[in-house]
Coordinates of all heavy atoms in Angstrom, one line a residue:
K8 N -113.6 -55.5 -112.9 CA -112.7 -56.5 -113.3 C -112.8 -57.6 -112.5 O -112.9 -57.6 -111.3 CB -111.2 -55.9 -113.4 CG -111.0 -54.9 -114.5 CD -109.5 -54.5 -114.6 CE -109.5 -53.4 -115.6 NZ -108.0 -52.9 -115.6
T9 N -112.6 -58.8 -113.0 CA -112.6 -60.0 -112.2 C -111.1 -60.6 -112.1 O -110.6 -60.7 -113.2 CB -113.6 -61.1 -112.6 OG1 -114.9 -60.5 -112.6 CG2 -113.6 -62.3 -111.7
I10 N -110.6 -60.9 -111.0 CA -109.4 -61.6 -110.8 C -109.5 -63.0 -110.2 O -110.1 -63.0 -109.1 CB -108.4 -60.8 -109.9 CG1 -108.3 -59.3 -110.7 CG2 -107.1 -61.4 -109.8 CD1 -107.5 -58.3 -109.7
T11 N -109.1 -64.0 -110.8 CA -109.2 -65.3 -110.3 C -107.8 -65.7 -109.6 O -106.8 -65.5 -110.2 CB -109.5 -66.3 -111.3 OG1 -110.8 -65.9 -111.9 CG2 -109.7 -67.8 -110.7
V12 N -107.9 -66.1 -108.4 CA -106.7 -66.5 -107.6 C -106.8 -67.9 -107.1 O -107.9 -68.5 -107.0 CB -106.5 -65.5 -106.4 CG1 -106.2 -64.2 -106.8 CG2 -107.7 -65.6 -105.4
S13 N -105.7 -68.5 -107.1 CA -105.6 -69.8 -106.6 C -104.5 -70.0 -105.6 O -103.3 -69.5 -105.9 CB -105.3 -70.8 -107.7 OG -105.1 -72.2 -107.4
G14 N -104.7 -70.7 -104.4 CA -103.7 -70.8 -103.4 C -103.4 -69.5 -102.7 O -104.3 -68.6 -102.7
N15 N -102.3 -69.1 -102.3 CA -101.8 -67.9 -101.7 C -101.4 -66.9 -102.7 O -100.5 -67.2 -103.4 CB -100.7 -68.2 -100.7 CG -101.2 -69.0 -99.4 OD1 -102.4 -69.1 -99.1 ND2 -100.2 -69.7 -98.8
T16 N -102.1 -65.9 -102.9 CA -101.9 -64.9 -104.0 C -101.9 -63.6 -103.5 O -102.7 -63.2 -102.6 CB -103.0 -65.1 -105.1 OG1 -103.0 -66.4 -105.6 CG2 -102.7 -64.0 -106.3
T17 N -100.9 -62.8 -103.9 CA -100.8 -61.4 -103.4 C -101.0 -60.5 -104.7 O -100.2 -60.6 -105.7 CB -99.4 -61.1 -102.7 OG1 -99.4 -61.9 -101.5 CG2 -99.4 -59.6 -102.3
I18 N -101.9 -59.4 -104.6 CA -101.9 -58.6 -105.7 C -101.4 -57.2 -105.1 O -101.9 -56.9 -104.1 CB -103.3 -58.5 -106.1 CG1 -104.0 -59.8 -106.5 CG2 -103.8 -57.4 -107.1 CD1 -105.3 -59.9 -106.6
G19 N -100.5 -56.5 -105.8 CA -99.9 -55.3 -105.1 C -99.8 -54.2 -106.0 O -100.0 -54.3 -107.3
S20 N -99.5 -53.1 -105.5 CA -99.2 -51.8 -106.2 C -98.1 -51.1 -105.4 O -97.7 -51.6 -104.4 CB -100.4 -51.0 -106.4 OG -100.8 -50.3 -105.2
S21 N -97.8 -49.9 -105.9 CA -96.7 -49.2 -105.2 C -97.2 -48.7 -103.8 O -96.3 -48.3 -103.0 CB -96.2 -48.1 -106.0 OG -97.2 -47.2 -106.3
T22 N -98.5 -48.6 -103.7 CA -99.0 -48.0 -102.4 C -99.7 -49.0 -101.5 O -99.7 -48.7 -100.3 CB -99.9 -46.8 -102.6 OG1 -100.9 -47.2 -103.5 CG2 -99.1 -45.6 -103.3
H23 N -100.3 -49.9 -102.2 CA -101.1 -50.9 -101.3 C -100.9 -52.3 -101.8 O -100.7 -52.5 -103.0 CB -102.6 -50.6 -101.3 CG -103.0 -49.4 -100.6 ND1 -103.0 -48.1 -101.2 CD2 -103.3 -49.1 -99.3 CE1 -103.4 -47.2 -100.4 NE2 -103.6 -47.8 -99.2
T24 N -100.9 -53.2 -100.8 CA -100.9 -54.6 -101.3 C -102.3 -55.4 -100.6 O -102.5 -55.2 -99.5 CB -99.7 -55.4 -100.7 OG1 -98.6 -54.8 -101.2 CG2 -99.8 -56.8 -101.0
V25 N -102.9 -56.1 -101.4 CA -104.0 -56.8 -101.0 C -103.8 -58.2 -101.2 O -103.4 -58.8 -102.2 CB -105.3 -56.5 -102.0 CG1 -106.6 -57.3 -101.5 CG2 -105.6 -55.0 -102.0
A26 N -103.8 -59.0 -100.1 CA -103.4 -60.4 -100.0 C -104.7 -61.1 -99.8 O -105.6 -61.0 -99.2 CB -102.6 -60.7 -98.8
F27 N -104.7 -62.2 -100.7 CA -105.7 -63.3 -100.7 C -105.2 -64.6 -100.3 O -104.3 -65.0 -100.8 CB -106.3 -63.4 -102.0 CG -107.0 -62.2 -102.6 CD1 -106.3 -61.3 -103.3 CD2 -108.5 -61.8 -102.3 CE1 -106.9 -60.2 -103.9 CE2 -108.9 -60.8 -102.7 CZ -108.2 -59.8 -103.5
V28 N -105.8 -65.2 -99.2 CA -105.4 -66.6 -98.8 C -106.6 -67.5 -99.0 O -107.7 -67.2 -98.4 CB -105.1 -66.6 -97.3 CG1 -104.7 -68.0 -96.9 CG2 -103.8 -65.6 -97.0
T29 N -106.5 -68.3 -100.0 CA -107.7 -69.2 -100.2 C -107.2 -70.7 -100.2 O -106.1 -71.1 -100.3 CB -108.2 -68.9 -101.7 OG1 -107.1 -69.2 -102.7 CG2 -108.5 -67.5 -101.9
T30 N -108.4 -71.4 -99.9 CA -108.1 -73.0 -99.9 C -108.6 -73.6 -101.2 O -108.2 -74.8 -101.5 CB -108.9 -73.6 -98.7 OG1 -110.2 -73.4 -98.7 CG2 -108.2 -73.0 -97.4
A31 N -109.2 -72.9 -102.0 CA -109.8 -73.3 -103.4 C -109.7 -72.2 -104.3 O -109.5 -70.9 -103.9 CB -111.1 -73.9 -103.2
N32 N -109.9 -72.5 -105.6 CA -110.0 -71.4 -106.5 C -111.2 -70.5 -106.2 O -112.2 -70.9 -105.9 CB -110.2 -72.0 -108.0 CG -109.0 -72.6 -108.5 OD1 -107.8 -72.5 -107.9 ND2 -109.0 -73.4 -109.5
T33 N -110.8 -69.1 -106.1 CA -111.8 -68.2 -105.8 C -111.8 -67.0 -106.8 O -110.8 -66.6 -107.2 CB -111.5 -67.7 -104.2 OG1 -111.4 -68.7 -103.4 CG2 -112.6 -66.7 -103.9
S34 N -113.0 -66.6 -107.1 CA -113.1 -65.4 -107.9 C -113.4 -64.2 -107.2 O -114.4 -64.2 -106.3 CB -114.4 -65.7 -109.0 OG -114.4 -64.6 -109.9
V35 N -112.5 -63.2 -107.2 CA -112.9 -62.0 -106.4 C -113.1 -60.8 -107.3 O -112.3 -60.6 -108.2 CB -111.6 -61.7 -105.5 CG1 -111.7 -60.5 -104.8 CG2 -111.4 -62.9 -104.6
T36 N -114.0 -60.0 -107.1 CA -114.2 -58.8 -107.9 C -113.9 -57.6 -107.2 O -114.4 -57.3 -106.0 CB -115.8 -58.8 -108.2 OG1 -116.2 -59.9 -109.0 CG2 -116.0 -57.5 -109.2
L37 N -113.0 -56.8 -107.8 CA -112.5 -55.5 -107.1 C -113.2 -54.3 -107.9 O -113.4 -54.4 -109.0 CB -110.9 -55.4 -107.2 CG -110.1 -56.6 -106.5 CD1 -108.7 -56.4 -106.8 CD2 -110.4 -56.6 -105.0
P38 N -113.3 -53.3 -107.2 CA -113.9 -52.1 -107.8 C -112.9 -51.6 -108.8 O -111.7 -51.6 -108.6 CB -114.2 -51.0 -106.6 CG -113.2 -51.6 -105.5 CD -113.2 -53.1 -105.8
T39 N -113.4 -51.0 -110.0 CA -112.6 -50.5 -110.8 C -112.1 -49.0 -110.6 O -111.3 -48.4 -111.2 CB -113.2 -50.5 -112.4 OG1 -114.5 -49.9 -112.3 CG2 -113.3 -52.0 -112.7
T40 N -112.9 -48.4 -109.6 CA -112.7 -47.1 -109.3 C -112.7 -47.0 -107.7 O -113.1 -47.9 -107.1 CB -113.8 -46.0 -109.7 OG1 -115.0 -46.3 -109.2 CG2 -113.8 -46.0 -111.2
G41 N -112.2 -45.8 -107.2 CA -112.1 -45.7 -105.7 C -110.9 -46.1 -105.2 O -109.8 -46.3 -105.9
T42 N -110.7 -46.0 -103.8 CA -109.4 -46.2 -103.2 C -109.5 -47.3 -102.1 O -110.5 -47.3 -101.4 CB -109.0 -44.9 -102.6 OG1 -108.9 -43.9 -103.6 CG2 -107.6 -45.1 -101.9
L43 N -108.5 -48.1 -102.0 CA -108.4 -49.1 -100.9 C -108.0 -48.3 -99.6 O -107.2 -47.4 -99.7 CB -107.5 -50.3 -101.2 CG -107.9 -51.1 -102.4 CD1 -106.9 -52.2 -102.6 CD2 -109.2 -51.8 -102.1
T44 N -108.5 -48.7 -98.5 CA -108.1 -48.0 -97.2 C -107.2 -49.1 -96.4 O -107.5 -50.3 -96.5 CB -109.2 -47.5 -96.4 OG1 -110.2 -48.5 -96.1 CG2 -109.9 -46.3 -97.2
S45 N -106.4 -48.7 -95.5 CA -105.7 -49.5 -94.6 C -106.0 -49.0 -93.2 O -106.5 -48.0 -93.0 CB -104.3 -49.4 -94.8 OG -104.0 -50.0 -96.2
K46 N -105.7 -49.9 -92.2 CA -106.0 -49.5 -90.9 C -104.8 -49.7 -90.0 O -104.1 -50.7 -90.2 CB -107.1 -50.2 -90.2 CG -107.4 -49.9 -88.8 CD -108.7 -50.7 -88.4 CE -108.3 -52.1 -88.1 NZ -109.2 -53.0 -87.4
F47 N -104.4 -48.7 -89.1 CA -103.5 -49.0 -88.1 C -103.9 -48.6 -86.7 O -104.6 -47.7 -86.5 CB -102.2 -48.0 -88.4 CG -101.1 -48.1 -87.5 CD1 -100.1 -49.1 -87.5 CD2 -101.0 -47.2 -86.5 CE1 -99.1 -49.1 -86.5 CE2 -100.0 -47.2 -85.5 CZ -99.1 -48.2 -85.6
G48 N -103.5 -49.4 -85.7 CA -104.0 -49.2 -84.3 C -102.9 -49.4 -83.4 O -102.0 -50.2 -83.6
V49 N -102.8 -48.6 -82.3 CA -101.8 -48.7 -81.4 C -102.3 -48.2 -80.0 O -103.1 -47.3 -79.9 CB -100.6 -47.9 -81.8 CG1 -100.7 -46.4 -81.8 CG2 -99.3 -48.2 -80.9
D50 N -101.8 -48.8 -78.9 CA -102.2 -48.2 -77.6 C -101.3 -46.9 -77.3 O -100.1 -47.0 -77.6 CB -101.8 -49.3 -76.4 CG -102.8 -50.4 -76.5 OD1 -103.9 -50.3 -77.1 OD2 -102.5 -51.5 -76.0
V51 N -101.8 -46.0 -76.7 CA -101.0 -44.7 -76.4 C -101.2 -44.3 -74.9 O -102.1 -44.6 -74.4 CB -101.4 -43.6 -77.3 CG1 -101.1 -43.9 -78.8 CG2 -102.8 -43.2 -77.1
G52 N -100.1 -43.6 -74.5 CA -100.1 -43.1 -73.2 C -98.8 -43.6 -72.4 O -98.5 -44.7 -72.5
N53 N -98.1 -42.6 -71.6 CA -97.0 -43.2 -70.9 C -96.9 -42.6 -69.5 O -96.0 -42.6 -68.7 CB -95.6 -42.9 -71.5 CG -95.4 -41.6 -72.0 OD1 -96.1 -40.6 -71.5 ND2 -94.2 -41.3 -72.6
G54 N -98.0 -41.7 -69.2 CA -98.0 -41.0 -67.9 C -97.4 -39.7 -67.8 O -97.4 -39.0 -66.8
A55 N -96.6 -39.3 -69.0 CA -95.7 -38.1 -68.9 C -96.1 -37.2 -70.1 O -96.1 -36.0 -69.9 CB -94.2 -38.6 -69.0
L56 N -96.2 -37.8 -71.2 CA -96.4 -36.9 -72.3 C -97.9 -36.4 -72.7 O -98.7 -37.3 -72.6 CB -95.8 -37.6 -73.7 CG -94.3 -38.0 -73.7 CD1 -94.0 -38.7 -75.0 CD2 -93.5 -36.7 -73.7
T57 N -98.0 -35.3 -73.0 CA -99.4 -34.7 -73.5 C -99.3 -34.5 -75.0 O -100.5 -34.4 -75.6 CB -99.6 -33.3 -72.9 OG1 -98.6 -32.4 -73.3 CG2 -99.7 -33.5 -71.3
S58 N -98.2 -34.6 -75.7 CA -98.1 -34.7 -77.1 C -97.5 -36.1 -77.5 O -96.4 -36.3 -77.2 CB -97.2 -33.6 -77.6 OG -97.0 -33.6 -79.0
I59 N -98.4 -36.9 -78.3 CA -97.8 -38.2 -78.6 C -98.0 -38.3 -80.2 O -99.0 -38.1 -80.8 CB -98.8 -39.2 -77.9 CG1 -98.8 -39.0 -76.4 CG2 -98.5 -40.6 -78.4 CD1 -99.8 -39.9 -75.7
T60 N -96.8 -38.7 -80.7 CA -96.8 -38.9 -82.1 C -97.0 -40.4 -82.4 O -96.4 -41.3 -81.8 CB -95.4 -38.6 -82.7 OG1 -95.1 -37.2 -82.5 CG2 -95.2 -38.9 -84.2
V61 N -98.0 -40.6 -83.3 CA -98.3 -42.0 -83.8 C -97.9 -42.2 -85.2 O -98.2 -41.4 -86.1 CB -99.8 -42.1 -83.7 CG1 -100.3 -43.6 -84.1 CG2 -100.3 -42.0 -82.3
T62 N -97.0 -43.1 -85.5 CA -96.5 -43.4 -86.8 C -97.3 -44.6 -87.4 O -97.2 -45.7 -86.9 CB -95.0 -43.8 -86.7 OG1 -94.2 -42.8 -86.1 CG2 -94.5 -44.1 -88.1
H63 N -98.2 -44.1 -88.4 CA -99.1 -45.1 -89.0 C -98.5 -45.7 -90.3 O -98.9 -46.8 -90.7 CB -100.5 -44.5 -89.1 CG -100.5 -43.2 -90.0 ND1 -100.2 -43.1 -91.3 CD2 -100.5 -41.9 -89.5 CE1 -100.3 -41.8 -91.7 NE2 -100.4 -41.1 -90.6
G64 N -97.8 -44.9 -90.9 CA -97.1 -45.5 -92.2 C -98.1 -45.6 -93.4 O -97.8 -46.3 -94.3
L65 N -99.2 -45.0 -93.4 CA -100.2 -45.2 -94.4 C -99.9 -44.3 -95.6 O -100.6 -44.5 -96.7 CB -101.5 -44.8 -94.0 CG -102.0 -45.8 -92.7 CD1 -103.4 -45.4 -92.3 CD2 -102.1 -47.2 -93.2
G66 N -98.9 -43.4 -95.6 CA -98.5 -42.7 -96.7 C -99.5 -41.6 -97.2 O -99.4 -41.1 -98.5
T67 N -100.3 -41.1 -96.3 CA -101.2 -40.0 -96.7 C -101.6 -39.2 -95.5 O -101.6 -39.8 -94.3 CB -102.4 -40.6 -97.5 OG1 -103.3 -39.4 -97.8 CG2 -103.2 -41.5 -96.5
K68 N -101.9 -37.9 -95.7 CA -102.5 -37.1 -94.6 C -104.0 -37.2 -94.6 O -104.6 -36.9 -93.6 CB -102.1 -35.6 -94.8 CG -100.7 -35.3 -94.4 CD -100.4 -33.8 -94.5 CE -98.9 -33.6 -94.2 NZ -98.7 -32.1 -94.2
D69 N -104.6 -37.9 -95.6 CA -106.0 -38.1 -95.7 C -106.5 -39.3 -94.8 O -106.7 -40.3 -95.4 CB -106.5 -38.3 -97.2 CG -106.2 -37.0 -98.0 OD1 -106.2 -36.0 -97.4 OD2 -106.0 -37.2 -99.3
V70 N -106.4 -39.1 -93.5 CA -106.6 -40.3 -92.5 C -107.8 -39.7 -91.6 O -107.9 -38.5 -91.4 CB -105.4 -40.7 -91.9 CG1 -104.4 -41.3 -92.8 CG2 -104.8 -39.6 -91.0
T71 N -108.4 -40.8 -91.0 CA -109.4 -40.5 -90.0 C -108.8 -41.1 -88.8 O -108.3 -42.2 -88.8 CB -110.7 -41.2 -90.4 OG1 -111.2 -40.5 -91.6 CG2 -111.8 -40.9 -89.2
V72 N -108.8 -40.3 -87.7 CA -108.2 -40.8 -86.4 C -109.3 -40.8 -85.4 O -110.1 -40.0 -85.2 CB -107.1 -39.8 -86.0 CG1 -106.4 -40.2 -84.7 CG2 -106.1 -39.7 -87.1
S73 N -109.3 -42.0 -84.6 CA -110.1 -42.1 -83.5 C -109.4 -42.5 -82.3 O -108.3 -43.3 -82.4 CB -111.4 -43.1 -83.7 OG -110.9 -44.2 -84.0
V74 N -109.7 -42.0 -81.1 CA -109.0 -42.3 -79.9 C -110.0 -42.7 -78.8 O -111.1 -42.1 -78.8 CB -108.2 -41.1 -79.3 CG1 -107.6 -41.4 -78.0 CG2 -107.2 -40.7 -80.4
W75 N -109.8 -43.9 -78.1 CA -110.9 -44.4 -77.3 C -110.2 -45.0 -76.1 O -109.1 -45.4 -76.2 CB -111.8 -45.3 -77.9 CG -111.2 -46.3 -78.9 CD1 -110.8 -46.0 -80.3 CD2 -110.9 -47.6 -78.7 NE1 -110.4 -47.2 -80.8 CE2 -110.4 -48.2 -79.9 CE3 -111.2 -48.5 -77.6 CZ2 -110.0 -49.5 -79.9 CZ3 -110.7 -49.8 -77.7 CH2 -110.2 -50.2 -78.9
D76 N -110.9 -44.9 -75.0 CA -110.5 -45.6 -73.7 C -110.3 -47.0 -73.8 O -111.0 -47.8 -74.5 CB -111.5 -45.3 -72.6 CG -111.0 -45.4 -71.2 OD1 -110.2 -46.3 -70.9 OD2 -111.3 -44.5 -70.4
N77 N -109.1 -47.5 -73.3 CA -108.7 -49.0 -73.4 C -109.6 -49.8 -72.4 O -109.2 -51.0 -72.3 CB -107.2 -49.0 -73.2 CG -106.6 -49.8 -74.4 OD1 -107.3 -50.4 -75.3 ND2 -105.4 -49.6 -74.5
T78 N -110.4 -49.3 -71.5 CA -111.2 -50.0 -70.6 C -112.6 -49.8 -70.9 O -113.0 -48.8 -71.4 CB -110.8 -49.6 -69.1 OG1 -110.8 -48.2 -68.9 CG2 -109.2 -50.0 -68.8
T79 N -113.4 -50.7 -70.3 CA -114.8 -50.7 -70.4 C -115.3 -49.3 -69.9 O -114.8 -48.7 -68.9 CB -115.5 -51.9 -69.7 OG1 -116.8 -51.8 -70.0 CG2 -115.4 -51.8 -68.3
P80 N -116.2 -48.6 -70.5 CA -117.1 -48.9 -71.6 C -116.4 -48.6 -73.0 O -117.1 -48.5 -74.0 CB -118.3 -48.2 -71.5 CG -117.9 -46.8 -70.9 CD -116.6 -47.3 -70.0
F81 N -115.1 -48.4 -73.1 CA -114.3 -48.2 -74.3 C -114.9 -46.9 -75.1 O -115.1 -47.0 -76.3 CB -114.4 -49.4 -75.3 CG -113.9 -50.7 -74.6 CD1 -114.7 -51.6 -74.1 CD2 -112.5 -50.9 -74.4 CE1 -114.2 -52.7 -73.4 CE2 -112.0 -52.0 -73.7 CZ -112.9 -53.0 -73.2
A82 N -115.2 -45.8 -74.3 CA -115.7 -44.7 -74.9 C -114.7 -43.8 -75.7 O -113.5 -43.9 -75.4 CB -116.2 -43.7 -73.8
E83 N -115.2 -43.3 -76.7 CA -114.2 -42.4 -77.6 C -114.0 -41.1 -76.7 O -114.8 -40.6 -76.0 CB -114.9 -42.0 -78.8 CG -113.9 -41.5 -79.9 CD -114.5 -41.7 -81.3 OE1 -115.1 -42.8 -81.6 OE2 -114.1 -41.0 -82.1
V84 N -112.7 -40.6 -76.8 CA -112.2 -39.5 -76.1 C -111.8 -38.5 -77.1 O -111.5 -38.7 -78.2 CB -111.0 -39.8 -75.2 CG1 -111.4 -40.8 -74.1 CG2 -109.8 -40.3 -75.9
E85 N -111.8 -37.2 -76.6 CA -111.5 -36.0 -77.5 C -110.2 -35.7 -77.2 O -109.8 -35.5 -75.9 CB -112.5 -34.9 -77.2 CG -113.9 -35.2 -77.7 CD -114.7 -33.9 -77.5 OE1 -114.3 -32.8 -77.6 OE2 -115.9 -34.3 -77.5
C86 N -109.5 -35.4 -78.2 CA -108.1 -34.8 -78.1 C -107.8 -34.1 -79.5 O -108.5 -34.3 -80.4 CB -107.0 -35.9 -77.9 SG -106.7 -36.9 -79.2
D87 N -107.0 -33.2 -79.5 CA -106.6 -32.4 -80.7 C -105.7 -33.5 -81.5 O -104.9 -34.1 -81.0 CB -105.8 -31.2 -80.5 CG -106.6 -30.2 -79.8 OD1 -107.9 -30.1 -80.2 OD2 -106.1 -29.3 -79.1
V88 N -106.0 -33.5 -82.8 CA -105.3 -34.3 -83.7 C -104.6 -33.5 -84.8 O -105.3 -32.7 -85.5 CB -106.2 -35.4 -84.4 CG1 -105.4 -36.2 -85.4 CG2 -106.8 -36.2 -83.4
Q89 N -103.3 -33.6 -84.9 CA -102.6 -32.9 -86.1 C -102.2 -34.0 -87.1 O -101.6 -35.0 -86.7 CB -101.3 -32.3 -85.5 CG -101.7 -31.1 -84.4 CD -100.4 -30.5 -83.9 OE1 -99.4 -31.0 -83.9 NE2 -100.5 -29.3 -83.3
H90 N -102.4 -33.7 -88.3 CA -102.0 -34.6 -89.5 C -100.5 -34.1 -89.8 O -100.4 -33.4 -90.8 CB -103.0 -34.4 -90.6 CG -104.3 -35.0 -90.2 ND1 -104.9 -36.2 -90.8 CD2 -105.2 -34.5 -89.3 CE1 -106.1 -36.3 -90.3 NE2 -106.3 -35.3 -89.4
T91 N -99.5 -34.6 -89.1 CA -98.2 -34.1 -89.0 C -97.5 -34.3 -90.3 O -96.9 -33.3 -90.9 CB -97.5 -34.6 -87.8 OG1 -98.3 -34.7 -86.7 CG2 -96.3 -33.8 -87.6
T92 N -97.5 -35.6 -90.8 CA -96.8 -35.9 -92.1 C -97.7 -37.0 -92.7 O -98.7 -37.3 -92.2 CB -95.4 -36.5 -91.8 OG1 -95.5 -37.8 -91.3 CG2 -94.6 -35.7 -91.0
T93 N -97.3 -37.5 -93.9 CA -98.0 -38.7 -94.6 C -97.9 -39.9 -93.8 O -98.5 -40.8 -94.2 CB -97.5 -38.7 -96.0 OG1 -96.1 -39.0 -96.0 CG2 -97.7 -37.5 -96.8
T94 N -97.0 -40.0 -92.8 CA -96.8 -41.3 -92.0 C -97.1 -41.1 -90.6 O -97.0 -42.1 -89.9 CB -95.5 -41.9 -92.3 OG1 -94.5 -40.9 -91.7 CG2 -95.3 -42.2 -93.7
T95 N -97.3 -39.8 -90.1 CA -97.7 -39.6 -88.7 C -98.8 -38.7 -88.4 O -99.1 -37.9 -89.2 CB -96.4 -39.1 -87.9 OG1 -96.1 -37.9 -88.6 CG2 -95.2 -40.0 -88.2
V96 N -99.3 -39.0 -87.3 CA -100.3 -38.0 -86.7 C -99.8 -37.7 -85.2 O -99.1 -38.4 -84.6 CB -101.8 -38.4 -86.6 CG1 -102.3 -38.6 -88.0 CG2 -101.9 -39.7 -85.8
T97 N -100.1 -36.5 -84.8 CA -99.8 -36.1 -83.4 C -101.1 -35.9 -82.6 O -102.0 -35.2 -83.1 CB -99.0 -34.9 -83.4 OG1 -97.7 -35.1 -84.1 CG2 -98.4 -34.5 -81.9
L98 N -101.2 -36.6 -81.5 CA -102.3 -36.4 -80.6 C -101.9 -35.5 -79.4 O -100.9 -35.7 -78.8 CB -102.7 -37.9 -79.9 CG -102.8 -39.0 -81.0 CD1 -103.2 -40.3 -80.2 CD2 -104.0 -38.6 -81.9
L99 N -102.7 -34.6 -79.2 CA -102.5 -33.5 -78.0 C -103.6 -33.6 -77.0 O -104.8 -33.5 -77.2 CB -102.5 -32.1 -78.6 CG -101.5 -31.9 -79.8 CD1 -101.7 -30.6 -80.4 CD2 -100.1 -32.0 -79.3
F100 N -103.1 -33.9 -75.8 CA -103.9 -34.2 -74.6 C -103.9 -33.0 -73.6 O -102.7 -32.5 -73.5 CB -103.7 -35.5 -73.9 CG -104.0 -36.7 -74.8 CD1 -102.9 -37.2 -75.5 CD2 -105.3 -37.3 -74.9 CE1 -103.2 -38.3 -76.4 CE2 -105.4 -38.3 -75.7 CZ -104.5 -38.9 -76.4
A101 N -104.9 -32.6 -72.9 CA -104.7 -31.6 -71.8 C -103.9 -32.2 -70.6 O -103.3 -31.5 -70.0 CB -106.1 -31.2 -71.3
V102 N -104.2 -33.5 -70.3 CA -103.5 -34.2 -69.2 C -102.8 -35.4 -69.8 O -103.5 -36.1 -70.7 CB -104.6 -34.5 -68.2 CG1 -103.8 -35.4 -67.1 CG2 -105.2 -33.4 -67.7
A103 N -101.6 -35.8 -69.5 CA -100.9 -36.9 -70.0 C -101.7 -38.1 -69.6 O -102.1 -38.5 -68.5 CB -99.5 -37.0 -69.4
P104 N -102.0 -39.0 -70.7 CA -102.7 -40.3 -70.4 C -101.7 -41.2 -69.7 O -100.5 -41.2 -70.0 CB -102.9 -40.8 -71.9 CG -102.7 -39.8 -72.8 CD -101.8 -38.8 -72.1
T105 N -102.4 -42.1 -68.8 CA -101.6 -43.1 -68.1 C -101.1 -44.1 -69.2 O -101.5 -44.1 -70.4 CB -102.4 -43.8 -67.1 OG1 -103.5 -44.4 -67.7 CG2 -102.8 -42.8 -66.0
T106 N -100.1 -45.0 -68.8 CA -99.5 -46.0 -69.6 C -100.7 -46.8 -70.4 O -101.6 -47.3 -69.7 CB -98.7 -47.0 -68.9 OG1 -97.6 -46.2 -68.3 CG2 -98.0 -47.9 -69.9
N107 N -100.7 -46.7 -71.7 CA -101.6 -47.4 -72.6 C -103.1 -47.2 -72.2 O -103.9 -48.1 -72.5 CB -101.4 -48.9 -72.6 CG -99.9 -49.2 -73.1 OD1 -99.4 -48.4 -74.1 ND2 -99.2 -50.3 -72.7
Q108 N -103.4 -46.0 -71.7 CA -104.8 -45.7 -71.4 C -105.7 -45.6 -72.5 O -106.8 -46.0 -72.4 CB -104.8 -44.3 -70.7 CG -106.1 -43.8 -70.2 CD -106.2 -42.6 -69.4 OE1 -105.2 -41.9 -69.1 NE2 -107.4 -42.1 -69.0
Y109 N -105.2 -45.3 -73.7 CA -106.0 -45.0 -74.9 C -105.7 -45.9 -76.0 O -104.4 -46.3 -76.0 CB -106.2 -43.5 -75.3 CG -106.6 -42.6 -74.2 CD1 -106.0 -41.5 -74.0 CD2 -107.8 -42.8 -73.5 CE1 -106.5 -40.7 -73.0 CE2 -108.4 -42.0 -72.7 CZ -107.7 -40.9 -72.4 OH -108.2 -40.0 -71.5
R110 N -106.5 -46.2 -76.9 CA -106.3 -46.9 -78.1 C -106.4 -45.8 -79.2 O -107.5 -45.2 -79.3 CB -107.2 -48.0 -78.3 CG -106.9 -48.9 -79.6 CD -105.8 -49.8 -79.5 NE -105.6 -50.6 -80.6 CZ -104.5 -51.3 -80.9 NH1 -103.6 -51.3 -79.9 NH2 -104.4 -52.0 -82.0
C111 N -105.5 -45.8 -80.2 CA -105.7 -44.9 -81.3 C -105.7 -45.8 -82.6 O -104.9 -46.6 -82.8 CB -104.4 -44.0 -81.4 SG -104.5 -43.0 -83.0
T112 N -106.8 -45.4 -83.3 CA -107.0 -46.2 -84.7 C -106.9 -45.0 -85.8 O -107.6 -44.1 -85.6 CB -108.3 -46.8 -84.7 OG1 -108.5 -47.7 -83.6 CG2 -108.5 -47.7 -86.0
V113 N -106.1 -45.4 -86.8 CA -105.9 -44.6 -87.9 C -106.4 -45.2 -89.2 O -105.8 -46.5 -89.4 CB -104.5 -44.0 -88.1 CG1 -104.4 -43.0 -89.2 CG2 -104.0 -43.5 -86.8
V114 N -107.3 -44.7 -90.0 CA -107.7 -45.4 -91.2 C -107.4 -44.3 -92.3 O -107.9 -43.2 -92.3 CB -109.3 -45.6 -91.1 CG1 -109.9 -46.2 -92.4 CG2 -109.6 -46.5 -90.0
G115 N -107.0 -44.9 -93.4 CA -106.6 -44.0 -94.5 C -106.1 -44.7 -95.8 O -106.0 -45.9 -95.7

């Protein structure tokens, strides 16, 4: 299907909203099947907790989670990930990360 938008237009549903900001009339083609994904990111670590709950608000347990070091070389780190609820995941570390040591990205 083709949707033509003009100016600032928001196309929404009960689970996702896709926003288009255009300076001229634009024709946008969206897939007729499949699912749109969203992304949430947050810095994690406080120097005390080894179990950290991340509230992503994506409304599904079908998410992919990556955790990586917040300093160069920004390497991905391993931790256990629990898909706790449809809006949260829990990260489990062997040693408590220092304040904002890691970045967590959730896609779903």
